Amino acid sequence: MILVLFGPPGSGKGTQAGLLAKQLHLAHVSTGDLLRAEQKAGTALGRKTKALMNRGQLVPDEIVRRIAEKQTLKLLERKNGMIFDGYPRNVSQLGDLDDILKKAGAELSLAVSLEIGDGKLIHRLTARRSCPKCGRVYNLHSHPPAKSGACDACGEKLIQRGDDRVGAIERRLEDYHRQTKPILESLRRRKMLKKVKADQPIPSVTAKLTKLIEAWRNDFRLA
Ligand code: AP5
């Protein structure tokens, strides 16, 4: 199964993709995480994209395609299913993803849009903290660490993402509505789009997604 999670910044794509990947033994591809890993490693690509990302701007399609393709083809050799979070981001990237999957003999199965109003997202995102060592993600309001400022798993000092400032969040939201939302119409026409309300507690959202995936699997078996 190849699942794509859509949703505005802060809707919970990364959180849900991580939980579902573990639960269903699927690979998880997040282009945001891949780009941040390049920055952390200090590569030329990381240096080139850092300023853009901190301003909340999208990275050029050809760069994202390169990293997404490499990771997808590598992981699909080992796992027979995958969840994309943060990719594709515009109609041209949707075409790129279709091409990449074709190379691997696969195709998109299901797309889910996490639905939540913009008003709640600034409150959520300015409270996000993450662990630079093990990657765990926290939220000062909904999911705080046990000890203030430190990762529960490894004790590392938690950090705030450079693009979780109000100005950058507003820019990311604008891009989501202008560039990413048109993909949803295209997927709706392909009859693979489902919607889930994302302004509910994390386990409720996971349960709804799991149900949709199970329904897709049952239909697939019957087809
Ligand atoms: P990316 O990392 O993909 O960021 P994003 O799409 O803006 O999404 P976020 O990671 O901010 O939010 P999320 O929906 O994953 O929410 P999360 O689960 O973390 O991209 C970053 C940048 O990289 C882009 O701006 C761009 O520059 C570049 N980039 C990446 N992909 C690209 C592409 N394809 N093309 C071009 N450029 C690209 O949750 C957020 C917070 O809320 C957390 O604190 C979490 O604990 C909390 N939370 C989650 N769910 C709930 C809930 N149900 N209730 C309460 N709190 C919750």
Side-chain angles (χ1 to χ4, degrees):
M1 119 155 299
I2 309 286
L3 169 70
V4 185
L5 287 184
F6 288 96
S11 55
K13 302 180 296 295
T15 301
Q16 296 298 334
L19 292 167
L20 291 171
K22 217 177 259 174
Q23 187 180 309
L24 305 168
H25 309 289
L26 299 172
H28 173 193
V29 173
S30 155
T31 41
D33 286 349
L34 291 171
L35 289 164
R36 282 184 289 276
E38 295 282 341
Q39 287 168 19
K40 200 173 166 192
T43 65
L45 194 150
R47 289 194 297 276
K48 201 167 161 184
T49 53
K50 188 171 182 170
L52 276 178
M53 285 176 70
N54 278 344
R55 284 197 297 269
Q57 283 175 268
L58 292 179
V59 169
D61 290 349
E62 59 280 10
I63 294 183
V64 185
R65 174 172 178 147
R66 218 183 315 140
I67 57 163
E69 179 160 354
K70 192 171 158 204
Q71 187 75 348
T72 302
L73 297 181
K74 185 175 91 184
L75 292 176
L76 275 183
E77 274 181 13
R78 301 204 303 256
K79 298 256 186 182
N80 59 2
M82 181 167 279
I83 306 179
F84 288 93
D85 125 44
Y87 188 74
R89 217 70 168 210
N90 56 36
V91 173
S92 158
Q93 290 187 10
L94 175 62
D96 287 344
L97 178 59
D98 284 333
D99 280 353
I100 295 169
L101 291 173
K102 207 167 165 190
K103 278 191 191 174
E107 61 181 3
L108 279 183
S109 317
L110 181 65
V112 182
S113 165
L114 298 177
E115 305 268 312
I116 179 166
D118 289 1
K120 300 202 171 149
L121 296 172
I122 291 185
H123 181 70
R124 252 195 205 181
L125 283 174
T126 49
R128 172 167 52 191
R129 298 291 182 273
S130 46
C131 174
K133 197 168 165 196
C134 71
R136 275 204 182 197
V137 176
Y138 298 87
N139 193 280
L140 301 182
H141 306 304
S142 59
H143 173 43
K147 187 176 156 222
S148 172
C151 178
D152 292 350
C154 65
E156 189 76 8
K157 188 168 177 242
L158 299 179
I159 56 163
Q160 185 169 22
R161 256 170 58 173
D163 58 352
D164 278 346
R165 288 168 296 101
V166 176
I169 297 170
E170 284 169 347
R171 174 150 211 167
R172 286 153 64 203
L173 283 169
E174 201 183 302
D175 275 340
Y176 177 74
H177 291 293
R178 204 162 32 91
Q179 303 213 39
T180 311
K181 269 202 160 167
I183 307 180
L184 301 184
E185 179 48 29
S186 161
L187 292 167
R188 193 188 59 76
R189 275 189 258 115
R190 284 163 69 170
K191 299 191 187 318
M192 56 172 63
L193 181 69
K194 303 282 179 203
K195 294 182 178 180
V196 164
K197 282 202 170 127
D199 55 350
Q200 301 168 359
I202 292 171
S204 311
V205 180
T206 313
K208 293 216 166 90
L209 287 166
T210 307
K211 221 168 160 185
L212 283 178
I213 293 167
E214 275 164 11
W216 179 87
R217 284 182 161 167
N218 286 336
D219 288 351
F220 186 74
R221 271 186 220 112
L222 291 175

Short mmCIF file of all heavy atoms in Angstrom, two decimals, residues 1 3 110-113 193-196 205-219:
data_model
loop_
_atom_site.label_atom_id
_atom_site.label_comp_id
_atom_site.label_asym_id
_atom_site.label_seq_id
_atom_site.Cartn_x
_atom_site.Cartn_y
_atom_site.Cartn_z
N MET A 1 0.82 -1.19 0.00
CA MET A 1 0.00 0.00 0.00
C MET A 1 0.87 1.25 0.00
O MET A 1 1.85 1.32 0.73
CB MET A 1 -0.93 -0.03 1.21
CG MET A 1 -0.76 1.10 2.17
SD MET A 1 -2.22 1.46 3.15
CE MET A 1 -3.46 1.89 1.98
N LEU A 3 0.46 5.13 0.71
CA LEU A 3 -0.45 6.12 1.28
C LEU A 3 0.23 7.50 1.28
O LEU A 3 1.41 7.60 1.57
CB LEU A 3 -0.77 5.70 2.72
CG LEU A 3 -1.48 6.69 3.63
CD1 LEU A 3 -2.93 6.88 3.19
CD2 LEU A 3 -1.47 6.21 5.07
N LEU A 110 -3.90 5.30 -1.77
CA LEU A 110 -4.86 6.07 -1.00
C LEU A 110 -4.23 7.40 -0.58
O LEU A 110 -3.04 7.44 -0.24
CB LEU A 110 -5.20 5.24 0.25
CG LEU A 110 -6.21 5.76 1.26
CD1 LEU A 110 -7.60 5.84 0.63
CD2 LEU A 110 -6.27 4.81 2.47
N ALA A 111 -5.06 8.45 -0.61
CA ALA A 111 -4.58 9.76 -0.13
C ALA A 111 -5.55 10.23 0.95
O ALA A 111 -6.76 10.12 0.78
CB ALA A 111 -4.56 10.76 -1.28
N VAL A 112 -5.01 10.73 2.05
CA VAL A 112 -5.89 11.22 3.12
C VAL A 112 -5.51 12.66 3.44
O VAL A 112 -4.33 12.98 3.64
CB VAL A 112 -5.78 10.36 4.41
CG1 VAL A 112 -6.75 10.89 5.46
CG2 VAL A 112 -6.08 8.90 4.12
N SER A 113 -6.52 13.50 3.48
CA SER A 113 -6.31 14.90 3.84
C SER A 113 -6.68 15.10 5.31
O SER A 113 -7.81 14.80 5.71
CB SER A 113 -7.18 15.77 2.93
OG SER A 113 -7.28 17.07 3.44
N LEU A 193 -9.24 9.93 -2.73
CA LEU A 193 -9.08 10.88 -1.63
C LEU A 193 -10.09 10.66 -0.51
O LEU A 193 -11.29 10.55 -0.76
CB LEU A 193 -9.23 12.32 -2.16
CG LEU A 193 -9.07 13.40 -1.10
CD1 LEU A 193 -7.62 13.46 -0.62
CD2 LEU A 193 -9.50 14.76 -1.63
N LYS A 194 -9.58 10.61 0.73
CA LYS A 194 -10.44 10.55 1.91
C LYS A 194 -10.07 11.72 2.81
O LYS A 194 -8.97 12.27 2.70
CB LYS A 194 -10.20 9.24 2.69
CG LYS A 194 -10.41 8.00 1.87
CD LYS A 194 -11.89 7.69 1.72
CE LYS A 194 -12.09 6.44 0.87
NZ LYS A 194 -13.39 6.39 0.25
N LYS A 195 -10.99 12.07 3.71
CA LYS A 195 -10.72 13.19 4.62
C LYS A 195 -10.88 12.75 6.07
O LYS A 195 -11.79 11.96 6.37
CB LYS A 195 -11.68 14.34 4.34
CG LYS A 195 -11.45 14.95 2.97
CD LYS A 195 -12.37 16.12 2.70
CE LYS A 195 -12.03 16.70 1.32
NZ LYS A 195 -12.86 17.82 0.97
N VAL A 196 -10.03 13.27 6.94
CA VAL A 196 -10.13 12.95 8.37
C VAL A 196 -10.00 14.25 9.16
O VAL A 196 -9.11 15.06 8.87
CB VAL A 196 -9.01 11.94 8.79
CG1 VAL A 196 -8.84 11.89 10.29
CG2 VAL A 196 -9.33 10.55 8.26
N VAL A 205 -7.32 10.47 15.91
CA VAL A 205 -6.97 10.63 14.49
C VAL A 205 -6.35 9.33 13.97
O VAL A 205 -6.69 8.85 12.88
CB VAL A 205 -6.01 11.84 14.30
CG1 VAL A 205 -5.65 12.02 12.83
CG2 VAL A 205 -6.63 13.13 14.86
N THR A 206 -5.46 8.73 14.77
CA THR A 206 -4.82 7.47 14.34
C THR A 206 -5.88 6.39 14.12
O THR A 206 -5.81 5.64 13.13
CB THR A 206 -3.83 6.96 15.43
OG1 THR A 206 -3.02 8.05 15.85
CG2 THR A 206 -2.94 5.85 14.90
N ALA A 207 -6.86 6.31 15.02
CA ALA A 207 -7.90 5.27 14.89
C ALA A 207 -8.69 5.47 13.59
O ALA A 207 -8.99 4.51 12.88
CB ALA A 207 -8.83 5.32 16.10
N LYS A 208 -8.99 6.73 13.25
CA LYS A 208 -9.75 6.98 12.02
C LYS A 208 -8.92 6.60 10.78
O LYS A 208 -9.43 6.03 9.83
CB LYS A 208 -10.14 8.45 11.94
CG LYS A 208 -11.14 8.83 13.01
CD LYS A 208 -12.14 9.85 12.50
CE LYS A 208 -13.32 9.97 13.44
NZ LYS A 208 -13.15 10.98 14.49
N LEU A 209 -7.64 6.93 10.83
CA LEU A 209 -6.77 6.60 9.68
C LEU A 209 -6.64 5.09 9.54
O LEU A 209 -6.69 4.55 8.43
CB LEU A 209 -5.38 7.23 9.88
CG LEU A 209 -5.33 8.76 9.70
CD1 LEU A 209 -4.02 9.34 10.23
CD2 LEU A 209 -5.47 9.11 8.22
N THR A 210 -6.50 4.40 10.67
CA THR A 210 -6.35 2.94 10.63
C THR A 210 -7.60 2.30 10.00
O THR A 210 -7.50 1.38 9.19
CB THR A 210 -6.15 2.40 12.07
OG1 THR A 210 -5.07 3.11 12.66
CG2 THR A 210 -5.83 0.92 12.08
N LYS A 211 -8.75 2.84 10.35
CA LYS A 211 -10.02 2.32 9.81
C LYS A 211 -10.07 2.49 8.28
O LYS A 211 -10.46 1.59 7.55
CB LYS A 211 -11.17 3.09 10.46
CG LYS A 211 -12.34 2.24 10.81
CD LYS A 211 -13.28 3.03 11.68
CE LYS A 211 -14.65 2.40 11.65
NZ LYS A 211 -15.60 3.21 12.39
N LEU A 212 -9.64 3.68 7.81
CA LEU A 212 -9.64 3.92 6.36
C LEU A 212 -8.70 2.97 5.64
O LEU A 212 -9.00 2.46 4.56
CB LEU A 212 -9.18 5.36 6.08
CG LEU A 212 -10.17 6.49 6.32
CD1 LEU A 212 -9.53 7.83 6.02
CD2 LEU A 212 -11.39 6.28 5.42
N ILE A 213 -7.55 2.73 6.26
CA ILE A 213 -6.55 1.84 5.64
C ILE A 213 -7.09 0.41 5.59
O ILE A 213 -6.97 -0.29 4.59
CB ILE A 213 -5.21 1.92 6.40
CG1 ILE A 213 -4.60 3.31 6.21
CG2 ILE A 213 -4.23 0.83 5.95
CD1 ILE A 213 -3.45 3.62 7.13
N GLU A 214 -7.73 -0.01 6.69
CA GLU A 214 -8.31 -1.37 6.71
C GLU A 214 -9.38 -1.51 5.63
O GLU A 214 -9.44 -2.51 4.93
CB GLU A 214 -8.91 -1.67 8.08
CG GLU A 214 -7.86 -2.20 9.04
CD GLU A 214 -8.32 -2.15 10.49
OE1 GLU A 214 -9.52 -1.91 10.74
OE2 GLU A 214 -7.45 -2.34 11.36
N ALA A 215 -10.22 -0.47 5.48
CA ALA A 215 -11.27 -0.52 4.46
C ALA A 215 -10.64 -0.62 3.07
O ALA A 215 -11.09 -1.39 2.22
CB ALA A 215 -12.15 0.72 4.56
N TRP A 216 -9.56 0.15 2.85
CA TRP A 216 -8.89 0.07 1.54
C TRP A 216 -8.35 -1.34 1.31
O TRP A 216 -8.50 -1.91 0.23
CB TRP A 216 -7.74 1.10 1.47
CG TRP A 216 -7.03 1.00 0.15
CD1 TRP A 216 -7.36 1.64 -1.01
CD2 TRP A 216 -5.91 0.16 -0.18
NE1 TRP A 216 -6.52 1.27 -2.03
CE2 TRP A 216 -5.62 0.36 -1.55
CE3 TRP A 216 -5.12 -0.74 0.54
CZ2 TRP A 216 -4.59 -0.30 -2.21
CZ3 TRP A 216 -4.09 -1.41 -0.12
CH2 TRP A 216 -3.83 -1.19 -1.47
N ARG A 217 -7.76 -1.92 2.34
CA ARG A 217 -7.17 -3.28 2.20
C ARG A 217 -8.25 -4.30 1.90
O ARG A 217 -8.06 -5.19 1.08
CB ARG A 217 -6.41 -3.66 3.47
CG ARG A 217 -5.06 -2.94 3.53
CD ARG A 217 -4.28 -3.34 4.74
NE ARG A 217 -2.87 -3.01 4.56
CZ ARG A 217 -1.98 -3.01 5.53
NH1 ARG A 217 -2.33 -3.31 6.76
NH2 ARG A 217 -0.72 -2.70 5.28
N ASN A 218 -9.42 -4.18 2.56
CA ASN A 218 -10.52 -5.12 2.29
C ASN A 218 -11.00 -4.99 0.85
O ASN A 218 -11.19 -5.99 0.17
CB ASN A 218 -11.69 -4.88 3.25
CG ASN A 218 -11.34 -5.39 4.64
OD1 ASN A 218 -10.49 -6.29 4.78
ND2 ASN A 218 -11.97 -4.83 5.66
N ASP A 219 -11.17 -3.75 0.38
CA ASP A 219 -11.61 -3.54 -1.01
C ASP A 219 -10.59 -4.11 -1.98
O ASP A 219 -10.93 -4.70 -2.99
CB ASP A 219 -11.77 -2.03 -1.31
CG ASP A 219 -12.98 -1.45 -0.60
OD1 ASP A 219 -13.76 -2.23 -0.05
OD2 ASP A 219 -13.10 -0.21 -0.59
#
